[in-house]
Amino acid sequence: MTNVKNGDWVFVHYTGRFEDGKVFDSSLNGSPLDFVVGEGGLIEGFEKGVMGMTKGEKKTIKLTPEEGYGPYDEKAVFDVPVSNFGEKPDLEKGMQIVVTPQDGNEFLATIADFNDETVKLDTNHPLAGKNLTFELEVVDIKDASERPQHSCGGCCGHCGGCH
């Protein structure tokens, strides 16, 4: 049997849970997640957890924030004037928005709170600071050279090859 190694194109079904057991994400009702190990497209702990597994093998891994989405950073939470959102903004606590600062480098933020004057934005990843458990099953292992090359020019996720 082949063991997953750096450079392999792997297909993994997973279920991600918080410490309390609540599921935050799963591939079980769809296609398995596919990625090339070592390309850096996934969190480090997930990739390390898959290393050495064989096709059909199942295992559970537990990740600290440092192995997952990083520690929660209070400095990544800040207030902006509500006027930045237009005349009558439709704001909702927990809503995720794309922020485009003057330098043009877009990033995702979550509305943590708001009032008539300010909006508190949290730019931490929603899973930052959390211990996570993943139940993994390796569905297939292929050589990365078998992975189709995509000519779409981007990684939007809609063409099925860039995750």
Side-chain angles (χ1 to χ4, degrees):
M1 286 215 125
T2 304
N3 292 61
V4 173
K5 62 188 178 313
N6 206 33
D8 283 342
W9 180 25
V10 296
F11 296 75
V12 178
H13 269 305
Y14 68 92
T15 298
R17 296 180 189 277
F18 294 117
E19 284 182 296
D20 65 4
K22 182 179 176 195
V23 174
F24 63 84
D25 196 14
S26 179
S27 68
L28 294 179
N29 291 328
S31 299
L33 173 67
D34 71 284
F35 61 98
V36 175
V37 178
E39 279 191 345
L42 297 176
I43 56 174
E44 185 178 340
F46 193 100
E47 283 198 12
K48 282 184 177 178
V50 174
M51 292 289 285
M53 291 180 70
T54 58
K55 184 176 176 178
E57 183 178 353
K58 295 180 182 183
K59 92 175 178 186
T60 300
I61 59 172
K62 293 180 185 268
L63 305 181
T64 64
E66 292 73 22
E67 297 167 308
Y69 293 91
Y72 189 84
D73 182 4
E74 289 293 338
K75 294 179 193 147
V77 180
F78 53 90
D79 291 330
V80 296
V82 74
S83 60
N84 287 9
F85 293 85
E87 196 164 314
K88 288 188 177 183
D90 184 19
L91 303 174
E92 194 175 308
K93 193 173 179 178
M95 175 187 286
Q96 290 194 319
I97 60 170
V98 175
V99 178
T100 309
Q102 290 179 339
D103 66 9
N105 292 324
E106 294 181 340
F107 59 91
L108 193 61
T110 302
I111 297 175
D113 207 358
F114 62 93
N115 58 37
D116 291 338
E117 296 175 14
T118 60
V119 177
K120 184 176 292 299
L121 296 179
D122 184 346
T123 60
N124 284 289
H125 188 282
L127 298 176
K130 304 215 184 298
N131 291 310
L132 306 173
T133 299
F134 287 95
E135 296 160 9
L136 307 173
E137 178 184 5
V138 174
V139 178
D140 204 359
I141 305 168
K142 296 182 179 184
D143 189 281
S145 65
E146 295 179 52
R147 189 173 190 193
Q149 297 300 312
H150 300 282
S151 59
C152 64
C155 285
C156 64
H158 295 290
C159 64
C162 303
H163 292 282

